[in-house]
Amino acid sequence: MAKRGSYAKGVAKREEILTSALDVIAREGFRKASVREIADAVGLSQAGLLHYFGSKEQLFVEIMRKRDEVDTEHFDLDSSHYNPMREGYLRVIRHNSEVPGVVELFSRLAVEASDVEHPAHEYFLQRSALIRELFTKSIAEEQEAGRVTDKVDAEVLARILQAVSDGMQLQWLLDRDVDMAATVDALFTLLGAAPANTAASAPAGETSTADS
Amino acid sequence: MAKRGSYAKGVAKREEILTSALDVIAREGFRKASVREIADAVGLSQAGLLHYFGSKEQLFVEIMRKRDEVDTEHFDLDSSHYNPMREGYLRVIRHNSEVPGVVELFSRLAVEASDVEHPAHEYFLQRSALIRELFTKSIAEEQEAGRVTDKVDAEVLARILQAVSDGMQLQWLLDRDVDMAATVDALFTLLGAAPANTAASAPAGETSTADS
DNA sequence: GTCTATATTGAGATAGAC
DNA sequence: GTCTATCTCAATATAGAC
């Protein structure tokens, strides 16, 4: 955190660049997201930008990491309890619908990173596993309490949840009228969760259509 | 079908190329799927291939269409009744896990086609809507018969189903050990059960666990 | 209809001055 | 650390011969 020494300064600048890049992608969209465009946007030359990140692909991985960091901070994503998890997750999804460029970059990278040689491969594997672990833990808890169906294993439910989120992003990229959050929430409803704040199991339709 | 006249011959050749391209992508994988590589694979020069399809992107759309055509033929995909729909769908998914290159091409295109200007945009919109219609129809039927939960509208369930399939493809691209079909089937199981108030409906677990 | 050869474009990477 | 300039490469698209 201390900024003395050129090393720390470099780190700070990196962070600054990432924040800025993320911001620009969120606002301006992703388009042909070339190193050059991001460089322009953050006020550096292409060479200046690559000075910090070595290659385009490394840059993109770092941008995604920064995104995760910011999101985890903004919305409490690390809760291992069901309702906070559910709500936090929905908040992120709602937020995503305001940053299409970020969603597009993420989806594109996700496909490219399927190649084990790709610099983002490890990142996606780990991120993916981490999310599933959080889901699994809180779902299992809920299953034990009898509030979520135990017809399907928690691990599998977690995977389904993750798949729906990713899949809804694709549907939403194609047609922006789609309500990602509402659909994911419908899935939560399906799992048998008592709708967010009502006492017993109440009509699910009302509880959580996106509040933005 | 008759081959007289150069027009019909051209069409036949196109079909032949597409079949061949699809076959190659399925077998050899997708890699950096350039026009040139496909051209090599089908035994044409790059220019020769583009003679038929004008541009790379049009070529890819046509390959995807051909894929749909072949799949619809091989697995009865157009049934609007629930169980055939479910079984047919699972068969396609199982088949997909044997053609990673095709899955990768599809996923990649799906993201790129989110741009309304992209030549594949319309294709994806229509394909996507068509699949959802089939799902919706058969699900609604099942809901009326009380065999599928009515906690969530048929349209939304259809969307969830579609999202899970797409999302599982991403997960599977990243980690080939994932069982796409089993996970999607688990979702079907979930739909069939009335969670929380168990006793009423039939045990869904048995009905259709993968037969391959 | 198919090929060879080439134009064109666009990107990422790198060298070297300041 | 940052820039300008350039290299290199890959890929699509096109011209024109056969």
Side-chain angles (χ1 to χ4, degrees):
Chain A
M1 315 305 176
K3 281 193 191 157
R4 61 179 177 150
S6 56
Y7 176 69
K9 178 127 183 289
V11 170
K13 179 78 182 186
R14 262 175 73 106
E15 294 301 301
E16 193 191 314
I17 292 171
L18 290 175
T19 303
S20 180
L22 198 46
D23 199 57
V24 166
I25 292 171
R27 281 206 330 273
E28 315 268 321
F30 169 80
R31 288 297 141 215
K32 309 225 70 183
S34 60
V35 174
R36 194 159 259 125
E37 288 197 38
I38 294 176
D40 287 354
V42 306
L44 278 179
S45 70
Q46 194 224 37
L49 180 54
L50 281 188
H51 170 71
Y52 288 95
F53 299 96
S55 80
K56 169 198 166 184
E57 276 156 344
Q58 284 167 54
L59 167 62
F60 285 150
V61 181
E62 294 310 314
I63 290 176
M64 287 298 98
R65 274 195 220 284
K66 177 50 109 178
R67 191 268 280 254
D68 291 341
E69 187 192 316
V70 170
D71 280 1
T72 307
E73 214 169 278
H74 265 298
F75 319 96
D76 335 72
L77 285 183
D78 35 13
S79 173
S80 61
H81 294 296
Y82 192 73
N83 279 330
M85 178 275 278
R86 173 176 177 169
E87 280 308 318
Y89 200 53
L90 290 174
R91 273 196 297 273
V92 175
I93 294 174
R94 283 181 209 116
H95 168 68
N96 281 346
S97 66
E98 268 139 53
V99 291
V102 174
V103 173
E104 195 182 346
L105 175 56
F106 178 85
S107 301
R108 186 181 284 236
L109 258 194
V111 177
E112 280 164 14
S114 66
D115 184 341
V116 281
E117 301 299 318
H118 194 286
H121 187 76
E122 269 309 304
Y123 162 76
F124 274 99
L125 272 184
Q126 283 172 14
R127 181 196 135 103
S128 184
L130 176 67
I131 291 173
R132 273 197 315 276
E133 271 164 37
L134 287 175
F135 283 176
T136 301
K137 199 179 299 179
S138 56
I139 289 171
E141 197 179 88
E142 219 58 8
Q143 284 178 323
E144 270 163 40
R147 286 188 295 267
V148 158
T149 176
D150 60 356
K151 289 194 166 237
V152 173
D153 287 349
E155 287 81 14
V156 178
L157 290 181
R159 223 177 243 296
I160 289 174
L161 218 32
Q162 188 173 38
V164 169
S165 312
D166 292 344
M168 285 312 299
Q169 290 193 342
L170 293 182
Q171 284 185 41
W172 174 78
L173 282 176
L174 204 59
D175 173 6
R176 301 292 159 95
D177 291 337
V178 171
D179 190 336
M180 292 191 281
T183 309
V184 172
D185 199 41
L187 175 59
F188 275 112
T189 298
L190 220 53
L191 299 193
N197 38 22
T198 26
S201 33
E206 300 297 336
T207 49
S208 52
T209 20
D211 68 281
S212 161
Chain B
M1 308 306 176
K3 281 192 190 159
R4 60 179 177 152
S6 57
Y7 176 70
K9 178 130 184 283
V11 169
K13 180 79 181 188
R14 263 175 73 106
E15 295 302 301
E16 193 191 315
I17 293 172
L18 290 175
T19 303
S20 180
L22 198 46
D23 198 59
V24 166
I25 292 171
R27 281 206 331 272
E28 314 268 322
F30 169 80
R31 292 294 144 216
K32 309 226 73 188
S34 62
V35 174
R36 189 160 261 123
E37 288 198 37
I38 295 178
D40 289 353
V42 306
L44 277 181
S45 70
Q46 192 221 52
L49 180 53
L50 281 188
H51 169 71
Y52 288 95
F53 299 95
S55 82
K56 169 195 165 185
E57 277 156 345
Q58 285 168 53
L59 167 63
F60 285 149
V61 180
E62 295 310 314
I63 291 177
M64 288 297 98
R65 275 195 219 283
K66 178 51 111 182
R67 191 267 280 253
D68 292 341
E69 187 192 315
V70 171
D71 281 1
T72 307
E73 213 170 281
H74 265 297
F75 319 96
D76 334 73
L77 285 183
D78 35 15
S79 173
S80 61
H81 294 296
Y82 192 73
N83 278 330
M85 178 275 281
R86 174 176 177 167
E87 279 307 319
Y89 200 54
L90 290 174
R91 273 195 297 272
V92 176
I93 294 173
R94 283 180 212 117
H95 169 68
N96 280 346
S97 67
E98 267 138 53
V99 290
V102 175
V103 173
E104 195 182 346
L105 174 56
F106 178 84
S107 301
R108 186 180 282 235
L109 259 195
V111 178
E112 280 164 13
S114 66
D115 184 341
V116 280
E117 301 299 315
H118 194 285
H121 188 74
E122 270 308 305
Y123 162 76
F124 274 100
L125 272 184
Q126 283 172 14
R127 181 195 136 102
S128 185
L130 176 67
I131 291 173
R132 273 197 314 277
E133 271 164 39
L134 287 175
F135 283 177
T136 302
K137 199 178 299 179
S138 56
I139 288 170
E141 197 179 87
E142 218 58 9
Q143 284 179 323
E144 270 163 40
R147 286 188 294 268
V148 158
T149 176
D150 60 356
K151 287 187 163 222
V152 173
D153 287 348
E155 287 81 15
V156 179
L157 290 182
R159 224 179 243 294
I160 289 175
L161 218 30
Q162 189 172 36
V164 169
S165 313
D166 292 345
M168 285 311 300
Q169 289 192 343
L170 293 181
Q171 284 185 39
W172 174 78
L173 282 175
L174 204 58
D175 172 6
R176 302 293 158 96
D177 291 337
V178 171
D179 190 335
M180 292 191 280
T183 310
V184 172
D185 199 42
L187 176 59
F188 275 112
T189 297
L190 223 51
L191 302 193
N197 54 4
T198 30
S201 46
E206 296 299 335
T207 48
S208 56
T209 21
D211 70 281
S212 138

